[in-house]
Coordinates of all heavy atoms in Angstrom, one line a residue:
R122 N 20.8 -52.4 -16.2 CA 20.1 -51.7 -15.1 C 21.0 -51.5 -13.9 O 20.7 -50.7 -13.0 CB 18.9 -52.6 -14.7 CG 19.2 -53.9 -14.0 CD 17.9 -54.7 -13.7 NE 18.2 -55.8 -12.9 CZ 18.4 -57.0 -13.4 NH1 18.5 -57.2 -14.7 NH2 18.6 -58.1 -12.6
G123 N 22.1 -52.1 -13.9 CA 23.1 -51.9 -12.8 C 23.0 -52.9 -11.6 O 22.0 -53.5 -11.4
E124 N 24.1 -53.0 -10.9 CA 24.2 -54.0 -9.8 C 23.3 -53.6 -8.6 O 22.9 -54.4 -7.8 CB 25.7 -54.1 -9.4 CG 26.6 -54.7 -10.5 CD 28.0 -54.8 -10.0 OE1 28.3 -54.4 -8.8 OE2 28.8 -55.3 -10.7
N125 N 23.0 -52.3 -8.5 CA 22.3 -51.8 -7.3 C 20.8 -52.2 -7.4 O 20.0 -52.1 -6.4 CB 22.4 -50.3 -7.1 CG 23.9 -50.0 -6.7 OD1 24.5 -50.8 -6.1 ND2 24.3 -48.8 -7.1
D126 N 20.3 -52.5 -8.6 CA 18.9 -52.8 -8.8 C 18.7 -54.3 -8.6 O 19.1 -55.2 -9.5 CB 18.5 -52.4 -10.3 CG 17.0 -52.5 -10.5 OD1 16.3 -53.2 -9.6 OD2 16.5 -52.0 -11.5
E127 N 18.2 -54.7 -7.5 CA 18.1 -56.1 -7.1 C 16.6 -56.7 -7.4 O 16.3 -57.8 -7.0 CB 18.4 -56.3 -5.7 CG 19.8 -55.9 -5.3 CD 20.2 -56.1 -3.8 OE1 19.3 -56.5 -3.1 OE2 21.3 -55.8 -3.4
R128 N 15.9 -55.9 -8.1 CA 14.5 -56.4 -8.4 C 14.6 -57.5 -9.4 O 15.5 -57.6 -10.2 CB 13.7 -55.2 -9.0 CG 13.5 -54.1 -8.0 CD 12.8 -52.9 -8.6 NE 12.6 -51.8 -7.6 CZ 12.1 -50.6 -7.9 NH1 11.7 -50.4 -9.1 NH2 12.0 -49.8 -6.9
H129 N 13.6 -58.4 -9.4 CA 13.5 -59.5 -10.3 C 12.8 -59.2 -11.6 O 11.7 -58.7 -11.6 CB 12.8 -60.7 -9.6 CG 12.8 -61.9 -10.4 ND1 11.6 -62.3 -11.1 CD2 13.7 -62.8 -10.7 CE1 11.9 -63.5 -11.8 NE2 13.2 -63.8 -11.5
Y130 N 13.5 -59.3 -12.7 CA 13.0 -59.0 -14.0 C 12.8 -60.2 -14.8 O 13.7 -61.1 -14.8 CB 13.9 -58.0 -14.7 CG 13.9 -56.6 -14.1 CD1 14.9 -56.3 -13.2 CD2 13.0 -55.6 -14.4 CE1 15.0 -55.1 -12.6 CE2 13.0 -54.4 -13.8 CZ 14.1 -54.1 -12.9 OH 14.1 -52.9 -12.3
L131 N 11.7 -60.3 -15.6 CA 11.4 -61.5 -16.4 C 10.8 -61.0 -17.7 O 9.9 -60.2 -17.7 CB 10.5 -62.4 -15.7 CG 10.0 -63.6 -16.5 CD1 11.1 -64.6 -16.8 CD2 8.9 -64.4 -15.7
L132 N 11.3 -61.6 -18.8 CA 10.8 -61.3 -20.2 C 10.1 -62.6 -20.7 O 10.8 -63.6 -20.8 CB 11.9 -60.8 -21.1 CG 11.5 -60.7 -22.6 CD1 10.4 -59.6 -22.8 CD2 12.7 -60.4 -23.5
I133 N 8.9 -62.5 -21.0 CA 8.1 -63.6 -21.6 C 7.8 -63.2 -23.1 O 7.2 -62.2 -23.3 CB 6.8 -63.9 -20.9 CG1 7.1 -64.2 -19.4 CG2 6.1 -65.1 -21.6 CD1 5.8 -64.4 -18.6
E134 N 8.3 -64.1 -24.0 CA 8.0 -63.8 -25.4 C 7.0 -64.8 -25.9 O 7.2 -66.0 -25.9 CB 9.3 -64.0 -26.2 CG 10.4 -62.9 -25.9 CD 11.6 -63.1 -26.7 OE1 11.5 -62.9 -28.0 OE2 12.7 -63.4 -26.2
E135 N 5.8 -64.3 -26.4 CA 4.8 -65.1 -27.0 C 5.1 -65.3 -28.5 O 5.6 -64.4 -29.2 CB 3.4 -64.5 -26.8 CG 3.0 -64.4 -25.3 CD 1.7 -63.8 -25.1 OE1 1.5 -62.6 -25.5 OE2 0.8 -64.4 -24.6
E136 N 4.7 -66.5 -29.0 CA 5.0 -66.8 -30.4 C 4.1 -66.1 -31.3 O 4.4 -65.9 -32.5 CB 5.0 -68.3 -30.6 CG 6.1 -69.1 -29.8 CD 6.0 -70.5 -30.1 OE1 5.1 -71.0 -30.9 OE2 6.9 -71.3 -29.6
A137 N 2.9 -65.8 -30.9 CA 1.8 -65.1 -31.7 C 1.1 -64.1 -30.9 O 1.0 -64.2 -29.7 CB 0.9 -66.2 -32.3
R138 N 0.5 -63.2 -31.6 CA -0.3 -62.2 -30.9 C -1.7 -62.7 -30.7 O -2.5 -62.9 -31.7 CB -0.3 -60.9 -31.7 CG -1.0 -59.7 -31.0 CD -1.1 -58.5 -31.9 NE -1.8 -57.4 -31.1 CZ -2.3 -56.3 -31.7 NH1 -2.4 -56.2 -33.0 NH2 -2.8 -55.4 -31.0
T139 N -2.1 -63.0 -29.5 CA -3.4 -63.6 -29.2 C -4.3 -62.7 -28.3 O -5.3 -63.2 -27.9 CB -3.2 -65.0 -28.5 OG1 -2.3 -64.8 -27.3 CG2 -2.5 -66.0 -29.4
G140 N -3.8 -61.5 -28.1 CA -4.7 -60.6 -27.3 C -4.1 -60.3 -25.9 O -3.4 -61.2 -25.3
K141 N -4.5 -59.2 -25.4 CA -4.0 -58.8 -24.0 C -4.5 -59.7 -22.9 O -3.7 -60.0 -22.0 CB -4.4 -57.3 -23.8 CG -3.9 -56.8 -22.4 CD -4.4 -55.3 -22.2 CE -3.9 -54.8 -20.9 NZ -4.4 -53.4 -20.7
S142 N -5.7 -60.1 -23.0 CA -6.3 -61.0 -22.0 C -5.5 -62.3 -21.8 O -5.2 -62.8 -20.7 CB -7.7 -61.3 -22.3 OG -8.5 -60.2 -22.3
T143 N -5.1 -62.9 -23.0 CA -4.3 -64.1 -23.0 C -2.9 -63.8 -22.3 O -2.4 -64.6 -21.5 CB -4.1 -64.6 -24.4 OG1 -5.4 -64.8 -25.1 CG2 -3.3 -65.9 -24.4
S144 N -2.3 -62.7 -22.7 CA -1.0 -62.3 -22.1 C -1.1 -62.1 -20.6 O -0.2 -62.6 -19.9 CB -0.5 -61.0 -22.8 OG -0.4 -61.2 -24.2
I145 N -2.2 -61.5 -20.1 CA -2.3 -61.2 -18.7 C -2.5 -62.6 -18.0 O -1.9 -62.8 -16.9 CB -3.5 -60.3 -18.4 CG1 -3.2 -58.9 -19.0 CG2 -3.8 -60.2 -16.9 CD1 -2.0 -58.2 -18.3
N146 N -3.3 -63.5 -18.5 CA -3.5 -64.8 -17.9 C -2.2 -65.5 -17.7 O -1.9 -66.0 -16.6 CB -4.4 -65.6 -18.8 CG -5.9 -65.3 -18.5 OD1 -6.3 -64.8 -17.5 ND2 -6.7 -65.6 -19.5
R147 N -1.4 -65.5 -18.8 CA -0.1 -66.2 -18.7 C 0.9 -65.5 -17.7 O 1.5 -66.2 -16.9 CB 0.5 -66.3 -20.1 CG 1.9 -67.0 -20.1 CD 2.5 -67.2 -21.5 NE 3.8 -67.7 -21.4 CZ 4.5 -67.9 -22.5 NH1 4.1 -67.6 -23.7 NH2 5.8 -68.5 -22.4
A148 N 1.0 -64.2 -17.8 CA 1.9 -63.5 -16.9 C 1.5 -63.7 -15.4 O 2.4 -63.9 -14.6 CB 1.9 -62.0 -17.3
F149 N 0.3 -63.6 -15.1 CA -0.2 -63.8 -13.7 C 0.2 -65.2 -13.3 O 0.5 -65.5 -12.1 CB -1.6 -63.5 -13.6 CG -1.9 -62.0 -13.4 CD1 -0.9 -61.1 -13.6 CD2 -3.2 -61.6 -13.1 CE1 -1.2 -59.7 -13.5 CE2 -3.5 -60.2 -13.0 CZ -2.5 -59.3 -13.2
E150 N 0.0 -66.2 -14.2 CA 0.3 -67.6 -13.8 C 1.8 -67.8 -13.5 O 2.2 -68.6 -12.7 CB -0.1 -68.5 -14.9 CG -1.6 -68.7 -15.0 CD -2.0 -69.7 -16.1 OE1 -1.1 -70.0 -16.9 OE2 -3.2 -70.0 -16.2
E151 N 2.7 -67.1 -14.3 CA 4.1 -67.2 -14.2 C 4.8 -66.3 -13.2 O 6.0 -66.3 -12.9 CB 4.8 -67.0 -15.5 CG 4.3 -68.1 -16.6 CD 5.2 -68.1 -17.8 OE1 6.4 -67.7 -17.7 OE2 4.8 -68.7 -18.8
A152 N 4.0 -65.4 -12.5 CA 4.5 -64.6 -11.5 C 5.0 -65.5 -10.3 O 4.5 -66.5 -10.0 CB 3.4 -63.6 -11.0
R153 N 6.1 -65.0 -9.7 CA 6.7 -65.9 -8.6 C 5.7 -66.1 -7.5 O 4.9 -65.2 -7.2 CB 8.0 -65.3 -8.1 CG 7.9 -63.8 -7.6 CD 9.3 -63.3 -7.3 NE 9.2 -62.0 -6.7 CZ 10.3 -61.3 -6.3 NH1 11.5 -61.8 -6.5 NH2 10.1 -60.0 -5.9
E154 N 5.8 -67.2 -6.9 CA 4.8 -67.7 -5.9 C 4.7 -66.8 -4.7 O 3.6 -66.6 -4.2 CB 5.2 -69.1 -5.4 CG 5.1 -70.2 -6.5 CD 5.3 -71.5 -5.9 OE1 5.5 -71.7 -4.7 OE2 5.4 -72.5 -6.7
E155 N 5.7 -66.1 -4.3 CA 5.6 -65.3 -3.1 C 4.9 -63.9 -3.4 O 4.6 -63.2 -2.4 CB 7.0 -65.0 -2.6 CG 8.0 -64.4 -3.5 CD 8.9 -65.4 -4.2 OE1 8.4 -66.5 -4.5 OE2 10.1 -65.1 -4.4
S156 N 4.6 -63.6 -4.6 CA 3.9 -62.4 -4.9 C 2.4 -62.5 -4.5 O 1.7 -63.2 -5.2 CB 4.1 -62.0 -6.4 OG 5.4 -61.6 -6.7
S157 N 2.0 -61.7 -3.5 CA 0.6 -61.8 -3.1 C -0.2 -60.7 -3.8 O -1.4 -60.7 -3.8 CB 0.5 -61.6 -1.6 OG 1.1 -60.4 -1.2
I158 N 0.5 -59.7 -4.4 CA -0.2 -58.7 -5.2 C 0.3 -58.7 -6.6 O 1.5 -58.7 -6.9 CB 0.2 -57.3 -4.6 CG1 -0.2 -57.2 -3.1 CG2 -0.6 -56.2 -5.4 CD1 -1.6 -57.5 -2.8
L159 N -0.7 -58.8 -7.6 CA -0.4 -58.8 -9.0 C -1.0 -57.5 -9.6 O -2.1 -57.2 -9.5 CB -1.1 -60.0 -9.6 CG -0.7 -61.4 -9.0 CD1 -1.5 -62.5 -9.7 CD2 0.8 -61.7 -9.2
M160 N -0.1 -56.8 -10.2 CA -0.4 -55.5 -10.8 C -0.2 -55.5 -12.3 O 0.8 -56.1 -12.8 CB 0.4 -54.4 -10.1 CG 0.0 -53.0 -10.5 SD 0.9 -51.8 -9.5 CE 0.5 -50.2 -10.3
M161 N -1.0 -54.8 -13.0 CA -0.7 -54.6 -14.4 C -0.8 -53.1 -14.8 O -1.6 -52.3 -14.2 CB -1.7 -55.4 -15.3 CG -3.1 -55.0 -15.3 SD -4.0 -56.1 -16.5 CE -5.7 -55.5 -16.2
T162 N 0.0 -52.6 -15.7 CA 0.0 -51.2 -16.1 C 0.5 -51.2 -17.5 O 1.4 -51.9 -18.0 CB 1.0 -50.4 -15.2 OG1 1.0 -49.1 -15.6 CG2 2.4 -51.0 -15.1
D163 N -0.1 -50.3 -18.3 CA 0.2 -50.1 -19.7 C 1.5 -49.3 -19.8 O 1.8 -48.5 -19.0 CB -0.9 -49.4 -20.4 CG -2.2 -50.2 -20.6 OD1 -2.1 -51.4 -20.3 OD2 -3.2 -49.7 -21.0
V164 N 2.2 -49.6 -20.9 CA 3.5 -49.0 -21.1 C 3.4 -47.6 -21.6 O 4.4 -46.8 -21.5 CB 4.4 -49.8 -22.1 CG1 4.7 -51.2 -21.6 CG2 3.7 -49.9 -23.5
D165 N 2.3 -47.1 -22.1 CA 2.2 -45.7 -22.5 C 1.6 -44.8 -21.5 O 1.3 -43.7 -21.8 CB 1.3 -45.7 -23.8 CG -0.1 -46.2 -23.6 OD1 -0.3 -46.8 -22.5 OD2 -0.9 -46.1 -24.5
C166 N 1.6 -45.3 -20.2 CA 1.2 -44.4 -19.1 C 2.3 -44.3 -18.1 O 3.2 -45.1 -18.1 CB -0.1 -44.8 -18.5 SG 0.1 -46.3 -17.4
R167 N 2.2 -43.3 -17.2 CA 3.2 -43.2 -16.2 C 2.5 -43.1 -14.8 O 1.5 -42.5 -14.7 CB 4.0 -41.9 -16.4 CG 4.9 -41.9 -17.7 CD 6.0 -43.0 -17.6 NE 6.7 -43.0 -18.9 CZ 6.5 -43.9 -19.9 NH1 5.5 -44.7 -19.8 NH2 7.3 -43.9 -21.0
L168 N 3.2 -43.8 -13.9 CA 2.6 -43.8 -12.5 C 3.0 -42.6 -11.7 O 4.1 -42.1 -11.9 CB 3.0 -45.1 -11.8 CG 2.7 -46.4 -12.5 CD1 3.3 -47.6 -11.6 CD2 1.2 -46.6 -12.7
S169 N 2.1 -42.1 -10.8 CA 2.5 -41.0 -9.9 C 3.5 -41.5 -8.9 O 3.7 -42.7 -8.7 CB 1.3 -40.5 -9.2 OG 0.7 -41.5 -8.4
E170 N 4.2 -40.5 -8.4 CA 5.3 -40.8 -7.4 C 4.7 -41.5 -6.2 O 3.6 -41.1 -5.7 CB 6.0 -39.5 -7.0 CG 7.1 -39.7 -6.0 CD 7.8 -38.4 -5.6 OE1 7.4 -37.4 -6.2 OE2 8.6 -38.4 -4.7
G171 N 5.3 -42.6 -5.8 CA 4.8 -43.4 -4.6 C 3.6 -44.3 -4.9 O 3.0 -44.7 -3.9
A172 N 3.3 -44.5 -6.2 CA 2.1 -45.3 -6.5 C 2.1 -46.7 -6.0 O 1.1 -47.2 -5.4 CB 1.8 -45.3 -8.0
L173 N 3.3 -47.4 -6.1 CA 3.4 -48.8 -5.7 C 3.2 -48.9 -4.1 O 2.6 -49.8 -3.6 CB 4.7 -49.4 -6.1 CG 4.9 -49.5 -7.6 CD1 6.2 -50.3 -7.9 CD2 3.7 -50.1 -8.3

Side-chain angles (χ1 to χ4, degrees):
R122 68 182 189 271
E124 297 180 358
N125 294 330
D126 190 345
E127 299 179 0
R128 298 172 179 179
H129 182 256
Y130 293 94
L131 174 64
L132 171 63
I133 302 173
E134 297 181 63
E135 297 181 299
E136 296 181 357
R138 188 185 181 198
T139 55
K141 183 179 178 181
S142 298
T143 305
S144 300
I145 294 297
N146 278 335
R147 180 177 175 183
F149 279 6
E150 286 178 354
E151 297 196 21
R153 56 185 182 182
E154 293 184 5
E155 55 265 39
S156 290
S157 59
I158 305 300
L159 304 177
M160 181 174 178
M161 63 178 181
T162 177
D163 288 350
V164 296
D165 57 354
C166 77
R167 296 294 179 264
L168 303 178
S169 62
E170 183 179 352
L173 297 189

